[in-house]
């Protein structure tokens, strides 16, 4: 029986898209985690703002990077391999406008194209952004982005297949308060304000480590950005920026994913490149669930310390809270906890749909679409919260599964690895969009699987 994580997941499998996984074996070994997907792609866009070439290091070999690379290339940016493995040199000297067809053909399922607006408006006085893709974990609106761009003086023209923007008078500093500390909207403001005329004040900004790393990239380029208390950021626009040379911070979402894989399969995984500071909140929860970890200068050892695992109550939140990207792999581990766990998803309105397939594998997860009566919220509680109540431990058995989204898909592979019996996991290409060398890493950890389609 084929289980579909969500309707959007029904896509014809392409080569390397279907895995047959024989579960029940602990994952043991080392994985190297490279640069963060959610920083590298933005830093690549930032190179458009420089008068000279930029070098980005530790760039992960993932689809989202390929999408941004091809979008930059259709806009005349030359992208070539740098002086070390995993580095890119991005030269915007010949940057130019691109046609709708070219942009649309390369935008793929990414949301990054929206971040091209500010840099292209500064560079060319105009931009065209096709309708966006991205994981089906909610509506993924861009109203915060468009409101911010209008605030900078851009003319935003919604068209049937995308958005055309222009800035005949150039862009000026703005006074922006985000309705919610949106990561993307904060990046939009940063990438636009650094070259706008005058000062921009941004309030209720996202402050995730990837945002702070992007601020580091922009400061290297010559930007003047001050990070104040209470989510306030001031940006003094400058006339010129030059290229940067930057090593991306590590991908803490991938690191957390492999940590949850160690918990769920009762294994032990060394995540080379993982650092404690950016994972503090995750490590607290990991310990409460019954995991143990050893932190070294090179990375972090993750393993299960108790069986069954211990139930917890977790609420996803903006930084420094528990990241929404961490909850899906964690929920698989919580199916092996002795008792009732609760995961409140407060960032996206539809990020618990993946649990249906886990229930078909033997999990006992009830999703409350309106959440449970509230506890403290770092930001104003929003209507879209949901809650998953997970009762364990429940043995999981293999099933046929179709991957719904990036992190949900990763969670399915962990579930198949933890389950007794064989699972066929389809649509795995989505996972490989965000996890570098995914099959190689599974093999290195002793996973028993074949690529069957
Ligand atoms: C980024 O998405 C990440 N993606 C997400 O990671 C991550 O989960 C998310 O930030 C939160 O940390 C990338 O960086 C490419 P948001 P983003 O704007 O920027 C609402 C992964 O798995 N909102 O912070 O799209 C939105 O609907 C991905 O790597 C508006 O209402 O997230 C959501 O409810 C998944 N209007 C909330 O804000 C807007 O204009 C947070 O979204 C923008 C956002």
């Amino acid at each position: 029986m084929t289980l579909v994580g969500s309707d959007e997941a029904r896509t014809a499998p392409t080569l390397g898209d279907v895995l047959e996984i024989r579960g029940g074996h602990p994952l043991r070994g080392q994985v190297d985690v490279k640069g963060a997907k959610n920083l590298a792609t933005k830093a690549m866009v930032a190179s458009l703002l420089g008068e000279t070439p930029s070098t980005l290091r530790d760039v992960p070999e993932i689809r989202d990077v390929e999408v941004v690379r091809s979008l930059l290339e259709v806009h005349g940016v030359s992208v070539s391999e740098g002086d070390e493995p995993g580095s890119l040199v991005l030269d915007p000297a010949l940057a130019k406008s691109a046609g709708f067809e070219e942009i649309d053909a390369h935008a793929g399922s990414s949301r990054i194209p929206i971040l091209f607006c500010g840099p292209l408006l500064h560079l060319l006085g105009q931009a065209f952004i096709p309708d966006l893709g991205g994981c089906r974990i909610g509506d993924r609106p861009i109203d915060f982005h468009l409101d911010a761009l209008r605030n900078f003086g851009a003319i935003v023209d919604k068209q049937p297949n995308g958005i055309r923007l222009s800035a005949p008078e150039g862009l000026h500093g703005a006074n922006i308060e985000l309705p919610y500390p949106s990561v993307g909207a904060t990046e939009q403001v940063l990438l636009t304000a650094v070259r706008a005329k005058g000062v921009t004040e941004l309030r209720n900004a996202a402050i995730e480590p990837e945002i702070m790393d992007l601020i580091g990239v922009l400061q290297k380029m010559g930007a003047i950005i001050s990070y104040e208390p209470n989510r306030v950021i001031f940006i003094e626009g400058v006339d010129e920026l030059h290229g940067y040379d930057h090593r991306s911070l590590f991908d803490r979402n991938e690191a957390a994913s492999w940590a949850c894989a160690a918990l769920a399969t009762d294994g032990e995984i060394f995540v080379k490149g993982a650092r404690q500071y950016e994972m503090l909140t995750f490590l607290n929860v990991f310990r409460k669930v019954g995991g143990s970890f050893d932190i070294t200068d090179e990375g972090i050892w993750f393993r299960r310390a108790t069986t069954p695992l211990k139930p917890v109550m977790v609420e996803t939140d903006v930084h420094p809270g528990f990241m929404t990207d961490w909850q899906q792999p964690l929920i698989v581990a919580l199916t092996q906890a002795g008792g009732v766990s609760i995961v409140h998803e407060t960032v996206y309105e539809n990020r618990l749909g993946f649990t249906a397939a886990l229930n078909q594998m033997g999990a006992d997860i009830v999703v409350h679409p309106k959440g449970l009566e509230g506890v403290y919220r770092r930001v104003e509680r929003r209507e879209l919260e949901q809650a998953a109540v997970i009762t364990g431990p429940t043995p999981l058995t293999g099933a046929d599964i179709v991957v719904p989204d990036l992190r949900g898909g990763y969670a399915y592979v962990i579930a198949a690895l933890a389950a007794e019996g064989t699972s066929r996991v389809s649509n795995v290409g989505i996972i490989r969009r965000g996890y570098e060398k995914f099959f190689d890493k599974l093999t290195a950890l002793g996973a028993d699987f074949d690529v069957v389609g």
Side-chain angles (χ1 to χ4, degrees):
M1 172 171 60
T2 298
L3 309 169
V4 179
S6 74
D7 289 343
E8 286 75 22
R10 291 180 193 280
T11 54
T14 56
L15 186 63
D17 219 9
V18 183
L19 298 185
E20 184 168 279
I21 297 174
R22 292 165 291 278
H25 313 290
L27 292 185
R28 289 209 170 87
Q30 169 175 319
V31 290
D32 290 14
V33 163
K34 287 280 191 52
K37 165 177 89 79
N38 295 343
L39 178 274
T41 47
K42 296 37 170 323
M44 290 170 72
V45 175
S47 69
L48 272 168
L49 292 159
E51 300 295 321
T52 55
S54 293
T55 297
L56 183 59
R57 302 177 189 281
D58 275 1
V59 184
E61 290 172 35
I62 56 175
R63 176 112 183 80
D64 273 18
V65 166
E66 291 161 20
V67 168
V68 176
R69 175 173 185 158
S70 52
L71 281 172
L72 287 169
E73 286 171 337
V74 297
H75 283 93
V77 177
S78 90
V79 184
S80 51
E81 275 54 54
D83 57 5
E84 66 179 42
S87 65
L88 291 179
V89 177
L90 306 110
D91 185 350
L94 302 176
K96 61 176 179 57
S97 296
F100 163 71
E101 293 71 26
E102 289 180 288
I103 300 170
D104 199 40
H106 291 95
S109 59
S110 166
R111 287 177 59 73
I112 312 294
I114 189 71
L115 297 180
F116 277 68
C117 294
L120 288 178
L121 286 169
H122 284 306
L123 206 56
L124 310 167
Q126 60 170 358
F128 178 83
I129 308 300
D131 287 335
L132 297 178
C135 288
R136 297 271 179 273
I137 51 180
D139 285 348
R140 310 305 296 274
I142 54 169
D143 50 330
F144 301 167
H145 295 250
L146 302 183
D147 292 347
L149 287 162
R150 290 187 188 98
N151 213 327
F152 281 109
I155 298 164
V156 177
D157 179 15
K158 197 83 181 71
Q159 310 214 323
N161 49 13
I163 300 158
R164 184 164 297 286
L165 302 102
S166 58
E169 318 289 314
L171 299 173
H172 52 71
N175 211 333
I176 295 168
E177 172 146 9
L178 292 179
Y180 180 84
S182 151
V183 166
T186 300
E187 292 159 343
Q188 181 74 250
V189 173
L190 289 170
L191 290 166
T192 305
V194 287
R195 284 282 317 283
K197 290 196 179 3
V199 177
T200 292
E201 179 179 349
L202 170 58
R203 290 188 302 284
N204 204 24
I207 56 172
E208 273 68 6
E210 294 77 18
I211 297 280
M212 306 322 285
D213 213 36
L214 180 63
I215 288 175
V217 165
L218 294 168
Q219 187 180 52
K220 284 180 178 178
M221 298 180 79
I224 302 170
I225 303 174
S226 66
Y227 163 54
E228 307 289 330
N230 306 319
R231 297 181 182 277
V232 174
I233 297 177
F234 286 102
I235 305 109
E236 296 176 37
V238 294
D239 294 336
E240 193 172 293
L241 294 172
H242 49 76
Y244 60 79
D245 187 329
H246 188 75
R247 189 174 299 281
S248 166
L249 87 165
F250 76 100
D251 193 317
R252 59 201 180 103
N253 290 344
E254 179 175 1
S257 301
W258 292 113
C260 291
L263 275 186
T265 64
D266 195 6
E268 177 164 31
I269 298 176
F270 181 64
V271 180
K272 187 164 181 281
R275 290 201 311 243
Q276 178 180 16
Y277 172 70
E278 291 85 355
M279 298 190 76
L280 280 176
T281 305
F282 176 81
L283 293 170
N284 289 337
V285 172
F286 189 83
R287 178 171 280 155
K288 285 182 193 171
V289 172
S292 81
F293 54 87
D294 298 322
I295 292 164
T296 73
D297 291 345
E298 290 72 38
I300 303 177
W301 280 102
F302 292 100
R303 66 184 76 79
R304 184 191 291 193
T306 59
T307 293
L309 293 172
K310 294 180 245 173
V312 291
M313 202 289 272
V314 171
E315 164 207 303
T316 67
D317 201 343
V318 294
H319 190 72
F322 191 87
M323 272 213 84
T324 173
D325 301 343
W326 295 335
Q327 58 95 336
Q328 292 162 299
L330 176 72
I331 283 178
V332 177
L334 292 178
T335 65
Q336 304 312 306
V340 178
S341 301
I342 299 175
V343 173
H344 281 259
E345 170 55 63
T346 73
V347 177
Y348 286 106
E349 59 272 36
N350 180 19
R351 202 165 193 178
L352 292 171
F354 79 105
T355 56
L358 297 183
N359 284 340
Q360 302 286 342
M361 296 175 77
D364 175 357
I365 304 171
V366 177
V367 174
H368 296 257
K370 290 277 172 236
L372 303 176
E373 263 326 293
V375 288
Y376 160 72
R377 285 283 175 276
R378 186 169 280 103
V379 289
E380 199 54 38
R381 184 191 171 106
R382 298 185 302 158
E383 266 320 295
L384 52 82
E385 170 182 323
Q386 324 108 61
V389 179
I390 306 110
T391 304
T394 52
L396 299 178
T397 50
D400 289 358
I401 305 169
V402 182
V403 164
D405 58 65
L406 176 60
R407 308 297 173 187
Y410 184 96
Y412 282 178
V413 170
I414 304 182
L417 291 165
E420 282 309 320
T422 301
S423 300
R424 279 174 71 93
V425 185
S426 309
N427 210 27
V428 170
I430 290 186
I431 303 173
R432 294 167 63 203
R433 209 190 83 201
Y435 290 88
E436 180 189 63
K437 300 192 177 79
F438 186 53
F439 293 170
D440 296 346
K441 289 173 178 171
L442 286 178
T443 304
L445 294 173
D448 180 6
F449 73 102
D450 292 311
V451 182
V452 296

